[in-house]
Amino acid sequence: MAHRRARLALIPAAGRGTRFLPLTKSVPKELVPIVSTPALELVVAEASRNGVSEVLIVVSKGKSAIADYFAPDRGLETLLQEKGDAAGLASIRHAAQLATIHHVEQSAPRGLGDAVAHGEHFAAGEALVVLLPDDLIDERDELLGTMLDLQADRGGIVLGLIDVPRAEIGKYGCAAPVPGADPTADVVNIADLVEKPDPRDAPSTLALVGRYVLPPEIFDALRETQPGANDEIQLTDAIRRLARDGVPVTGVVFRGRRYDTGDRLEYVKAVVQLAGRHPEIGSDFTAWLREYVSRT
Ligand code: G1P
């Protein structure tokens, strides 16, 4: 390997979560429960099991519940200790044990690119992993480790991709492979990117799935990037700029299980699937669900 694997990650969690109103009036979207664990903890756990030891969470004003969630709660710990609730105690300590968590506040909602720009000081010249907390990757399936190995080996930018039906590509950033690339390959060289294309003009059906390994050059590119789709500074546009400047961009096509918690319908599907394999309630829930579906 040419370099060491990236060990720093940034998780943007500054959005208003308007698709989840009224809940998100007071609860950050990133804390929506997957049974009883916030989605954000599952994403931090994914980073942690892939060797990422420091995580910077970008929040907006009024989202202090996120910092509270990762901070120790001595009063609650004492209460659970006195009750002899070892499982409860382990569960509330788990999140903080996954990685060292840092927080920074994004002052205005200027988009994903601007949120990532808040990581410049934290990255301090090292490669930075970005994980979008709306996308959950099943822990039984491999993506981030492969991306980190490839980035350590080749340098440049490494992107997690999924192949989606053409009608859906407009919801995502789209990555165009170099001409002549094998459409069935799991690792593809990327020539160009476009954020939320019209499906009729999209250069491919490969969508960015919210996992990025970025080199330090990303911060200069973000500074030079003007607002794009939705009038926001798009990370996709900054990556495109680097690709055009000759920085190698590699895509890893993920064909495993992925859940989207950014949309209400997809979120409910994620909860149903993950509840079905929950260690405590999984078998009872699955038995009930079978019976419920056959009855309705
Ligand atoms: C963001 C990115 C997009 C990416 C998507 C993955 O879009 O801008 O490139 O494909 O996340 O979930 P958003 O879902 O925030 O609109």
Side-chain angles (χ1 to χ4, degrees):
M1 253 175 236
H3 312 277
R4 70 177 191 175
R5 274 166 59 129
R7 58 179 194 92
L8 305 174
L10 180 148
I11 301 180
R16 279 308 316 262
T18 47
R19 278 179 283 187
F20 280 79
L21 284 169
L23 174 82
T24 45
K25 193 163 169 268
S26 65
V27 177
K29 181 182 76 179
E30 297 75 15
L31 297 184
V32 291
I34 305 296
V35 186
S36 53
T37 302
L40 179 58
E41 179 171 330
L42 300 181
V43 176
V44 174
E46 178 191 342
S48 174
R49 70 173 170 270
N50 285 289
V52 169
S53 53
E54 309 248 349
V55 174
L56 177 69
I57 304 179
V58 183
V59 294
S60 51
K61 219 176 172 53
K63 283 183 127 181
S64 56
I66 291 180
D68 292 345
Y69 184 75
F70 286 95
D73 184 337
R74 303 285 178 228
L76 183 57
E77 287 185 21
T78 309
L79 189 82
L80 294 170
Q81 239 147 10
E82 282 167 5
K83 281 175 64 184
D85 184 351
L89 194 59
S91 80
I92 65 160
R93 286 177 172 162
H94 184 248
Q97 287 163 349
L98 292 169
T100 305
I101 309 287
H102 309 263
H103 302 273
V104 65
E105 197 175 289
Q106 184 185 24
S107 48
R110 279 191 284 260
L112 175 59
D114 180 67
V116 172
H118 282 68
E120 184 165 16
H121 179 68
F122 170 74
E126 292 188 29
L128 183 67
V129 180
V130 172
L131 301 103
L132 305 191
D134 281 352
D135 293 296
L136 300 182
I137 300 294
D138 195 295
E139 62 186 347
R140 295 164 293 178
D141 298 327
E142 165 59 28
L143 172 62
L144 190 59
T146 307
M147 292 174 60
L148 289 164
D149 283 345
L150 273 168
Q151 206 274 342
D153 204 30
R154 301 181 172 188
I157 295 165
V158 180
L159 305 172
L161 303 174
I162 50 172
D163 201 356
V164 300
R166 181 161 283 272
E168 287 176 27
I169 193 71
K171 293 198 298 185
Y172 298 95
C174 172
V178 294
D182 173 1
T184 63
D186 289 338
V187 175
V188 282
N189 294 326
I190 301 300
D192 200 7
L193 296 105
V194 49
E195 180 69 15
K196 301 197 170 68
D198 182 321
R200 287 166 303 191
D201 313 325
S204 84
T205 53
L206 293 175
L208 273 61
V209 71
R211 298 293 181 271
Y212 310 78
V213 190
L214 302 169
E217 295 80 31
I218 193 70
F219 298 107
D220 281 336
L222 283 167
R223 254 187 292 279
E224 287 157 22
T225 301
Q226 298 303 313
N230 297 334
D231 207 24
E232 292 178 342
I233 299 174
Q234 296 294 343
L235 180 59
T236 305
D237 293 342
I239 296 171
R240 172 185 223 194
R241 176 180 285 270
L242 290 178
R244 290 182 168 185
D245 284 351
V247 173
V249 181
T250 308
V252 176
V253 185
F254 178 67
R255 304 189 198 275
R257 288 156 284 200
R258 168 246 174 191
Y259 315 96
D260 176 5
T261 64
D263 164 271
R264 288 178 300 181
L265 175 61
E266 294 303 316
Y267 165 68
V268 174
K269 290 185 199 168
V271 173
V272 168
Q273 292 173 82
L274 292 165
R277 49 181 298 266
H278 188 278
E280 281 144 41
I281 65 163
S283 54
D284 285 352
F285 175 66
T286 306
W288 171 82
L289 186 62
R290 283 214 174 90
E291 197 268 323
Y292 177 72
V293 169
S294 68
R295 170 157 60 83
T296 49

